[in-house]
Amino acid sequence: MTQDEMKQAVARAAIDYVVAGEIIGVGTGSTANFFIDELGKIKDRIKGAVASSEATAERLRSHGITVFDLNDIDTMSVYIDGADEITAQGAMIKGGGAALTREKIVASVAKQFVCIADGSKLVEKLGAFPLPVEVIPMAQAVVARKLAALGGEPRLRVKDGKPVVTDNGCYIVDVLGLQIEDPAALEAQINDIVGVVTVGLFARRGANIGLLGTADGVKRLNF
């Protein structure tokens, strides 16, 4: 199976976790896009969705799925999203698509987080994938210095020669070379840096279920 075929397989498997008649939290990224396409096939079974990014909202609406503002939602049964890395304990690095803050916010409202990914995303230790940190633009340099002091190599994410700007009007600093021994502790430490909006570590509130696409089919992990 190709990587895309594995992503499609977990996207289909994730439909089993969609609760009929309710509002679903939906993440951002290539795997989440496959899930949205599958969700579009059963859109009449759900009330609608909350999106973790403007791109996700647009894709949901293109399938005729009603998109709700999170401020109007008290709780959700499930949030379904991908990951850039995930451990056997359910800790994740997310933010390759620059939607980490909204992903973390939407996930916090859901009773259950289902992570969908191809099997290559399962790692023993987080950190091979650069750790995204969303920062207030005026604090980018000072935050980068403090991230460097933690042992990583911070790089401002740029595209076409300009800083990538998130849906929140902020910048992304990617931190390379970290060996993340205690994801939850590092998440708290980075979030405490003044100027950080949030870090792309999802460990204090990680996944509850992992659906991983492999050559042998979809593997389920319970955390």
Side-chain angles (χ1 to χ4, degrees):
M1 295 176 71
T2 67
Q3 189 175 42
D4 278 353
E5 287 171 337
M6 292 179 185
K7 291 178 179 181
Q8 288 174 326
V10 294
R12 288 191 295 268
I15 293 296
D16 291 341
Y17 297 88
V18 173
V19 180
E22 295 198 9
I23 296 170
I24 310 303
V26 183
T28 296
S30 59
T31 310
N33 283 341
F34 283 121
F35 172 70
I36 294 169
D37 295 342
E38 293 297 323
L39 193 62
K41 300 174 184 178
I42 63 160
K43 62 184 178 183
D44 294 335
R45 297 188 209 167
I46 61 172
K47 187 175 180 181
V50 172
S52 63
S53 67
E54 297 300 330
T56 290
E58 183 178 343
R59 195 177 188 98
L60 287 164
R61 292 190 184 102
S62 75
H63 284 282
I65 298 170
T66 301
V67 177
F68 288 84
D69 189 306
L70 186 62
N71 288 310
D72 298 325
I73 307 301
D74 294 325
T75 185
M76 292 180 294
S77 58
V78 65
Y79 175 70
I80 297 175
D81 197 2
D84 298 302
E85 287 184 342
I86 184 169
T87 69
Q89 292 74 44
M92 297 167 285
I93 285 180
K94 293 174 51 55
L100 56 158
T101 299
R102 295 192 184 193
E103 288 171 345
K104 192 170 284 192
I105 292 169
V106 179
S108 73
V109 179
K111 297 176 183 176
Q112 183 170 245
F113 187 139
V114 178
C115 176
I116 54 175
D118 66 87
S120 69
K121 302 299 191 296
L122 181 64
V123 298
E124 291 186 8
K125 183 188 297 184
L126 300 175
F129 189 92
L131 178 63
V133 182
E134 185 165 357
V135 302
I136 301 297
M138 70 171 290
Q140 175 255 317
V142 65
V143 169
R145 289 194 293 271
K146 293 183 178 181
L147 292 171
L150 297 177
E153 180 186 343
R155 294 182 184 175
L156 179 65
R157 190 181 299 183
V158 297
K159 183 178 181 180
D160 300 327
K162 297 180 180 179
V164 169
V165 178
T166 71
D167 288 343
N168 306 312
C170 297
Y171 292 168
I172 299 290
V173 173
D174 292 308
V175 188
L176 291 71
L178 288 176
Q179 294 293 313
I180 303 176
E181 302 291 346
D182 188 337
L186 185 61
E187 180 178 358
Q189 185 177 9
I190 293 177
N191 278 340
D192 278 345
I193 296 173
V194 176
V196 167
V197 179
T198 199
V199 60
L201 278 169
F202 287 59
R204 302 176 75 187
R205 198 308 189 196
N208 302 107
I209 294 170
L211 299 177
L212 302 178
T214 73
D216 299 320
V218 176
K219 179 180 180 182
R220 170 177 165 147
L221 299 177
N222 295 307
F223 308 114

